[in-house]
Amino acid sequence: MVSDRNVEKAKDALEDGADAVDKAAHATADKVTRATRRAKDAASDALDQGNDTLEEALLCAKDVIRQHPITSVAVVAVVAYLWGRIRG
């Protein structure tokens, strides 16, 4: 009767609401997963770029040291002396 129809309508509305919540939860989870993957990829790319830059700087430093060994030793000695003076 009337109350049975109202109960059925309420059940249908609850099921529709539950389905909508389920779809929204899945959509949100998918968006978060994609955003996490993009962030991971960006961090990995930045790390790779940083490693490449560091390797390049070390190669340049090696070349300079090989070209000017005496000057390089003198610079290191001055830096070590100043560092020792600063640290006390």
Side-chain angles (χ1 to χ4, degrees), residues 6-85:
N6 289 338
V7 170
E8 287 300 318
K9 284 182 182 179
K11 283 182 182 179
D12 290 342
L14 284 174
E15 286 177 8
D16 291 344
D19 289 342
V21 168
D22 187 50
K23 287 178 185 177
H26 284 292
T28 301
D30 290 342
K31 287 178 183 178
V32 169
T33 300
R34 285 193 300 269
T36 303
R37 282 189 192 131
R38 284 194 305 268
K40 179 184 170 191
D41 291 344
S44 178
D45 291 345
L47 183 61
D48 290 343
Q49 186 178 6
N51 284 339
D52 292 344
T53 302
L54 181 60
E55 286 179 22
E56 196 173 309
L58 289 174
L59 289 174
C60 288
K62 285 180 184 179
D63 290 342
V64 169
I65 291 170
R66 284 187 184 124
Q67 291 174 0
H68 308 284
I70 295 173
T71 305
S72 299
V73 170
V75 168
V76 169
V78 169
V79 169
Y81 172 76
L82 293 174
W83 182 257
R85 295 286 296 192

